[in-house]
Amino acid sequence: MSRLSGPALRLTVLVGESDRWHHRPLYSEVVHRARAAGLAGASVFRGIEGFGASSLVHTTRLLSLSEDLPVAVVIVDEEERVRAFLPELDGLVAEGLVLLDRCEVVTYAGRGPAGDRGGRPAGGRGGAAE
């Protein structure tokens, strides 16, 4: 696992849940391409309500519109690595919004081999409060 700390760039790709790339969910394609590119990580968040350029509100409250909820793919890494990844999104994101934000990584830690949490108790954050 690479170490990531300090200044970074956050890439957010906002698309619809039903958007596809070759019969695969678009958000999944973005995540797999980010992994193949060696980026630090990617997460997908499903929205409960939203609208985009069409101004049509998609919400979990209306059964007929709940099939295309907003989805955000968030990727954080060093600025040059994120910017090098942007051409992967060309032609992939036909409808949606791609955002870049400067941010600061405070903590970037993951599980080691066999689910090891780096000395932290399972399910806990460690520290004096526990």
Side-chain angles (χ1 to χ4, degrees):
M1 176 177 76
S2 64
R3 299 308 304 163
L4 181 63
S5 64
L9 200 61
R10 176 178 47 220
L11 167 65
T12 305
V13 181
L14 298 165
V15 294
E17 186 177 30
S18 66
D19 292 347
R20 296 281 184 258
W21 177 258
H22 296 272
H23 307 290
R24 178 185 205 168
L26 178 58
Y27 60 84
S28 181
E29 183 66 22
V30 173
V31 168
H32 284 84
R33 287 187 185 201
R35 185 171 188 264
L39 294 174
S43 296
V44 178
F45 300 94
R46 183 177 188 225
I48 59 171
E49 188 168 55
F51 72 93
S54 69
S55 295
L56 180 63
V57 175
H58 298 270
T59 177
T60 57
R61 292 181 288 131
L62 299 172
L63 186 59
S64 64
L65 297 178
S66 64
E67 62 216 25
D68 193 24
L69 293 170
V71 174
V73 181
V74 179
I75 299 167
V76 177
D77 206 327
E78 296 171 345
E79 181 171 354
E80 52 276 359
R81 294 174 58 81
V82 172
R83 289 195 183 277
F85 180 71
L86 289 176
E88 288 284 338
L89 301 176
D90 290 345
L92 194 61
V93 180
E95 294 179 11
L97 181 63
V98 177
L99 302 168
L100 291 173
D101 299 293
R102 295 188 193 287
C103 61
E104 182 177 352
V105 174
V106 176
T107 303
Y108 176 62
R111 294 185 177 125
D116 177 30
R117 295 178 71 70
R120 294 180 184 177
R125 293 179 48 175
E130 285 192 31

